[in-house]
Amino acid sequence: MGDASFVPGPIFDTHAHYTSADFDADRDALLASLPAKGVSGICEQATSSGDAAACVAMAHRYDFIYAAIGIHPESLLPADTCPPGQLAPTITKYHGDWRAELDDLMPYFSDPKVVAIGECGLDHHWPVPAEAQLALFEAEIRLSLALDKPIIVHDREAHAEVYALLKKYRPKGIVHCYSGSAEDAAWLTAQGLYLGFGGACTWQGAHRAAKAIAAAPLGQLVLETDCPYMAPQPCRGQRCDSSMIAYVGETVAALKGVTPSEIFQITDANARRAFQIK
Ligand SMILES: [Zn+2]
């Protein structure tokens, strides 16, 4: 990384949130600068009907950007749990009727740049209503099977319930920001799922992620940011962007005993296979 002429890549960031207000000041300049920094692909993640249109518009503006459309469990956070400005339209517009919101999102799935259902899953870190998020996630898994598109799984402190549904339905897709054990990494990948790793695996003390990366086949690993969050070392705490995956690739390469260049080639190919794109 010390050589200024060296450009890492191809970097395929399978999980980004560039519609975040953190990018309002320089979004287009930043996105336009990424290919020269080795970024070959990005899958931009919607969290509800609130950002879905902007995700799809971004995917149309840039060849290398694709979109995942879905409803994130945090979009179900009720009015008494977060400031009014942070409430999703799932609550403010649909009054918790996620089925109606999902129906309204359906036209997006016939768009060729919409390659996945997501971001969806289960979250027990925040006070998301348990029954509603379980029903929503199950509906999104069934949608992924019906549409034959991969699902992007958010699993925060919800391993048992997430894994039970993944075992039951066996969808295609990516378990984003994988935080499970090495044992679970083995069967999830054997079932055909991809595991996404980002900045967190570069942080000091990330032994669990290191074991999971070691246990997963190279052909089932993908790299991601979850930007603007989760910047890797040595950028931890800064606003993250896809070019910083260069550091994640170095960490994963060291754990797998291959070169960073091989990791970028392999994970770029894995991402394209996972999203069924060229
Ligand atoms: Zn995300």
Side-chain angles (χ1 to χ4, degrees):
M1 302 287 295
D3 178 358
S5 66
F6 174 73
V7 177
I11 290 171
F12 200 119
D13 180 356
T14 57
H15 195 109
H17 296 278
Y18 284 108
T19 62
S20 162
D22 289 21
F23 295 107
D24 282 355
D26 61 345
R27 181 175 296 105
D28 280 306
L30 173 65
L31 291 174
S33 77
L34 291 175
K37 297 173 187 167
V39 176
S40 57
I42 293 171
C43 187
E44 172 72 13
Q45 306 284 317
T47 60
S48 74
S49 58
D51 51 15
C55 286
V56 174
M58 197 183 288
H60 284 178
R61 186 176 305 194
Y62 298 94
D63 278 358
F64 64 98
I65 300 184
Y66 300 84
I69 297 295
I71 304 174
H72 191 294
E74 281 175 43
S75 294
L76 293 167
L77 276 171
D80 58 350
T81 62
C82 60
Q86 290 174 25
L87 288 172
T90 317
I91 300 303
T92 57
K93 181 177 172 192
Y94 293 94
H95 310 290
D97 185 356
W98 54 262
R99 286 181 184 83
E101 186 176 21
L102 212 47
D103 280 348
D104 285 352
L105 292 174
M106 287 306 290
Y108 289 119
F109 294 111
S110 46
D111 187 308
K113 296 293 298 268
V114 175
V115 295
I117 320 295
E119 174 176 2
C120 58
L122 298 175
D123 193 312
H124 292 314
H125 180 78
W126 301 108
V128 183
E131 267 182 54
Q133 62 170 326
L134 199 61
L136 167 60
F137 184 37
E138 188 162 10
E140 291 182 294
I141 292 175
R142 294 171 74 109
L143 182 61
S144 92
L145 296 174
L147 296 175
D148 190 32
K149 285 185 194 289
I151 195 160
I152 310 297
V153 180
H154 169 100
D155 168 9
R156 193 160 185 201
E157 299 169 25
H159 295 326
E161 286 170 289
V162 167
Y163 295 164
L165 285 172
L166 295 179
K167 268 186 182 153
K168 178 178 177 186
Y169 288 103
R170 302 180 69 90
K172 300 190 277 207
I174 297 171
V175 182
H176 136 71
C177 198
Y178 181 72
S179 60
S181 67
E183 291 73 22
D184 289 324
W187 73 258
L188 287 162
T189 54
Q191 194 177 296
L193 288 159
Y194 294 81
L195 306 183
F197 290 92
C201 77
T202 69
W203 299 346
Q204 206 177 358
H207 306 299
R208 192 172 165 89
K211 286 180 187 163
I213 290 166
L218 263 177
Q220 309 286 130
L221 294 178
V222 292
L223 305 183
E224 61 173 44
T225 52
D226 208 14
C227 66
Y229 311 111
M230 312 291 277
Q233 290 293 7
C235 314
R236 190 171 181 182
Q238 296 174 27
R239 185 184 73 172
C240 188
D241 71 60
S242 305
S243 69
M244 293 180 189
I245 284 180
Y247 299 106
V248 179
E250 290 186 350
T251 297
V252 173
L255 289 166
K256 295 306 262 182
V258 300
T259 65
S261 169
E262 286 172 294
I263 282 295
F264 294 126
Q265 296 286 349
I266 292 166
T267 53
D268 175 78
N270 292 347
R272 289 171 196 281
R273 197 181 327 111
F275 292 129
Q276 305 172 70
I277 58 179
K278 286 190 205 108

